[in-house]
Amino acid sequence: MANFNLYVASCVLLLALSWRTATGHPLPALRTEECEQCSLLFKSLLLNITELLKGDVLCFGITSEKVVVRSKADTLLACAPPLTQNSNCMMQRNSSFSERECLKNIMEDLAYYEAAIKSYLKSQLRSPAEEEARLSPTLTIIESLKNCSRMQNENNSSEVTAQMWGSDTYSNREQMCKMMRGFHVRAITINRAMGYISSGDHRK
């Protein structure tokens, strides 16, 4: 088990180190100003989620440390750099980087989490006013991100996410806390991807 954990950790490190050096074929891309605007907004999103999880509202009294990523988007793979020589990491792929595919999956993520948060705020809540105050800024940033990108998401996640919540406020909040932890992990991946796209390395 220890060897497996070391292997996974090594892959994560290699992925991070390879992010700036991977290359791909030129594809239709966001304009420079769009990249800069979106990158700043994604940084704001990551900071927002980080502060949200540090607070004493959403995850208050939640003993589980579980992280849940329910979005069906394949962002981790779509936004990973191409496979480097002598690498066996599963998080890299044996194909060129596609900016369009990466952005498409990012938009699917945003659509899913936006729908999940909106449906959660309509469910049974322990502290409706406090939870809405904490989550509304996240929705505002997501909306701005949807406007700054030319990529449009066609998937409707509203019906799926609406089925996640029940009548027990603790269970709802526990699920939301776990999901936002997953969103935090995904936001880190997205920020790395946007940094790579902004660098233009994949178009060299």
Side-chain angles (χ1 to χ4, degrees):
M1 184 65 179
N3 290 335
F4 176 75
N5 289 336
L6 179 61
Y7 169 77
V8 173
S10 299
C11 284
V12 172
L13 178 60
L14 180 59
L15 177 63
L17 292 174
S18 301
W19 206 275
R20 300 286 298 179
T21 57
T23 59
H25 300 296
L27 288 168
L30 292 174
R31 295 191 302 270
T32 301
E33 59 271 23
E34 288 177 324
C35 273
E36 291 176 353
Q37 181 186 9
C38 287
S39 293
L40 288 174
L41 284 170
F42 275 118
K43 288 178 182 177
S44 296
L45 179 65
L46 178 57
L47 290 173
N48 170 267
I49 299 171
T50 301
E51 291 303 313
L52 182 68
L53 293 173
K54 286 181 180 178
D56 58 356
V57 176
L58 188 62
C59 295
F60 176 77
I62 305 299
T63 57
S64 173
E65 297 293 331
K66 189 175 181 180
V67 177
V68 176
V69 179
R70 286 202 174 94
S71 172
K72 300 300 182 182
D74 202 9
T75 307
L76 183 61
L77 181 60
C79 295
L83 186 67
T84 56
Q85 191 174 9
N86 299 324
S87 172
N88 294 317
C89 285
M90 293 179 291
M91 287 175 290
Q92 292 183 295
R93 54 203 173 89
N94 190 21
S95 61
S96 60
F97 178 84
S98 170
E99 180 177 329
R100 177 172 291 277
E101 188 64 22
C102 176
L103 290 173
K104 174 178 175 290
N105 279 273
I106 288 174
M107 294 307 294
E108 287 180 9
D109 271 326
L110 292 180
Y112 176 84
Y113 286 107
E114 179 185 41
I117 294 172
K118 285 182 176 179
S119 64
Y120 173 75
L121 291 175
K122 294 178 181 178
S123 70
Q124 295 292 322
L125 304 176
R126 181 179 72 97
S127 306
E130 289 184 318
E131 292 181 64
E132 183 172 358
R134 296 299 190 280
L135 289 167
S136 291
T138 310
L139 290 174
T140 300
I141 297 173
I142 291 176
E143 187 63 31
S144 297
L145 280 165
K146 288 164 58 182
N147 292 332
C148 90
S149 174
R150 290 177 292 163
M151 301 297 295
Q152 298 296 320
N153 176 66
E154 298 178 354
N155 294 337
N156 186 355
S157 303
S158 300
E159 293 184 5
V160 176
T161 56
Q163 299 171 6
M164 293 169 54
W165 320 113
S167 58
D168 182 71
T169 61
Y170 179 84
S171 295
N172 287 345
R173 195 161 50 82
E174 181 180 39
Q175 291 302 313
M176 190 60 177
C177 178
K178 293 176 182 178
M179 190 189 72
M180 291 304 290
R181 289 172 184 160
F183 193 13
H184 182 260
V185 173
R186 187 54 56 87
I188 293 173
T189 299
I190 292 172
N191 270 274
R192 287 175 176 168
M194 291 306 298
Y196 178 57
I197 291 172
S198 297
S199 73
D201 288 350
H202 60 296
R203 294 190 290 273
K204 293 179 181 178

